[in-house]
Amino acid sequence: MTATNRLSTGRIDPATGDQGRAFHVYTQRNLDRITAVRHLPADQRFAMKVVSTVLPFRVNDYVIERLIDWSKVPDDPIFQLTFPQPGMLAPEHYTQVANLLRRNADKAELKAVVGRIRQDLNPHPAGQLQLNIPRLPNGDLVTGVQHKYRETVLFFPSQGQTCHAYCSFCFRWAQFVGDKALRIAATEAQRLHAYLRQHPCVTDLLVTGGDPLVIKTRHLEAYLEPLLHRDFDHVQTIRIGTKALTFWPYRFVGDADSDALLALLERIVAAGKHVAVMAHFNHWREMETEVCEQAVERIRATGAEIRTQGPVLAHINDEPGDWARMWRKQVRLGILPYYMFVERDTGAHHYFKVPLVRTWEIYREAVQQVSGLARTARGPSMSAGPGKVEVTGVAEVGPRDVGPEQVLVLRFLQARNPDWVNRPFFARFDPAATWLDDLRPAFGEREFFFEPEYRERWTSLLH
Ligand SMILES: *Cc1c(COP(=O)(O)O)cnc(C)c1O
Ligand code: SF4
């Protein structure tokens, strides 16, 4: 008997309705049908309509009934994580859309206005679209693939461009709003496999989305099973980026093909590869349900590891104590904390952004509260154009008598040029900066050390 079979009966009390639940989803169109929402004041409901006309909204019964504490709405972190909030649109955008909805404007007019607003929201930060899509030797673009850091290839399976619910801050939002030109999607697995065959330097495949675990197991098999062939021995790690442990843990417990999914992970592990479920978590409250804990247990029983990552967000998790509690809980469940991210400058960034200096304080104060086993999370890290930049800290540099300069110490955790990694560099102290672009070099220098090369080798490709 395999580990998966052994666990498949589950220990969850059927009376709680936690096993084999039907997936029931709500979007902007049927927002009013959510019972809990009907109890909210009319102006709050209207604001939700306005915001979700521009930003993607999708939530399911599990999130509504098991994760959100409706007695704490609107401050509840899971409510903030999934439901549209009035502050998410700039006031002028909000007013524009609100007026159109109030006077029942026709679809075409609404669509045009919404399209313009979305363009203003920086749908593809950090040159994602133009810079990272590789080519095969015959010149074909390998669509659905991004290859930015030497060791790791990202793959976006076309059926995985959605999620079991949407995070209100998500930088992938441009992929969800149905604009084909904005969509980064794979046409087929074959090109991915051809690309991997030709790149022996690649050790990691990171399957991402959206959420690739919205895909039926038999389709995931078509992408992943061929990688067990010896042509792909160099690909030693398969990572799967997902938020299913938060938004739909039934993907691993009680769904029609959850046993098949676990069996697939088990086969990949048995074939000698490292399988890492890269779970996106923002708050310890996402891990409190029995079904989430059982999902974790079942994944770990396959031999796969679970690593976690997520951004620091105003209104959701900008308290160090919440991070400490989340990391402790993860360690207790046998999960490895991996990255703390800085929220990207896209979508509703102005609502969720946290100054870099503050993200470092949150990280530092959180790490101080946990044992070494929970300090495996690195960060706070910005996934910027040149690479992943860690805010290492704030320091004073220079002789005290002449007045030292206060600086931000930074380093690359990942970089387009591997040689840039782990060289400390310095920016002028700026308590308001929220992204790498806001920072200026310290000590009167004109540019950061990597900028000339970045400009010459990469950004010139953008024009
Ligand atoms: C974060 C990231 C990776 C993975 O980086 P690791 O540090 O190995 O986790 C790969 N590609 C891109 C584009 C990324 O942003
Ligand atoms: S689960 Fe991931 S891809 Fe989906 S909305 Fe949330 S952050 Fe975005």
Side-chain angles (χ1 to χ4, degrees), residues 163 166-167 170 172 176 210 243 247 280:
C163 311
Y166 291 154
C167 307
C170 178
R172 304 251 162 87
F176 305 144
K243 202 167 171 71
F247 286 156
H280 173 192

Side-chain angles (χ1 to χ4, degrees), residues 12 18-21 23 60-64 66-67 164-165 211 213 242-259 261-262 281 285-299:
I12 287 175
D18 246 349
Q19 186 126 36
R21 207 185 163 102
F23 183 65
N60 66 59
D61 274 344
Y62 169 74
V63 175
I64 294 169
R66 308 305 303 275
L67 295 186
H164 295 102
D211 193 326
L213 292 186
T242 182
K243 202 167 171 71
L245 280 168
T246 296
F247 286 156
W248 193 248
Y250 305 96
R251 185 66 187 89
F252 310 97
V253 186
D255 263 4
D257 65 344
S258 55
D259 286 356
L261 172 63
L262 295 169
F281 280 113
R285 287 261 315 280
E286 296 163 71
M287 292 177 291
E288 296 282 287
T289 63
E290 214 182 329
V291 64
C292 175
E293 292 198 11
Q294 200 189 17
V296 168
E297 203 176 303
R298 298 193 86 205
I299 293 167

Side-chain angles (χ1 to χ4, degrees), residues 79-115:
F79 179 72
Q80 292 282 332
L81 171 70
T82 49
F83 276 78
Q85 310 295 328
M88 287 178 185
L89 288 182
E92 66 273 19
H93 290 158
Y94 185 92
T95 312
Q96 262 181 312
V97 177
N99 288 341
L100 291 173
L101 291 185
R102 271 197 203 99
R103 67 173 167 79
N104 253 322
D106 68 56
K107 278 216 175 77
E109 189 183 1
L110 190 62
K111 200 172 158 204
V113 170
V114 166

Side-chain angles (χ1 to χ4, degrees), residues 146 148-149 152 154 206 239 338-339 378 383 388 414:
Q146 284 186 34
K148 180 169 176 179
Y149 307 129
T152 303
L154 260 54
L206 171 46
R239 306 194 215 176
Y338 185 59
Y339 268 134
R378 289 174 300 162
S383 281
K388 280 189 168 64
Q414 281 289 3

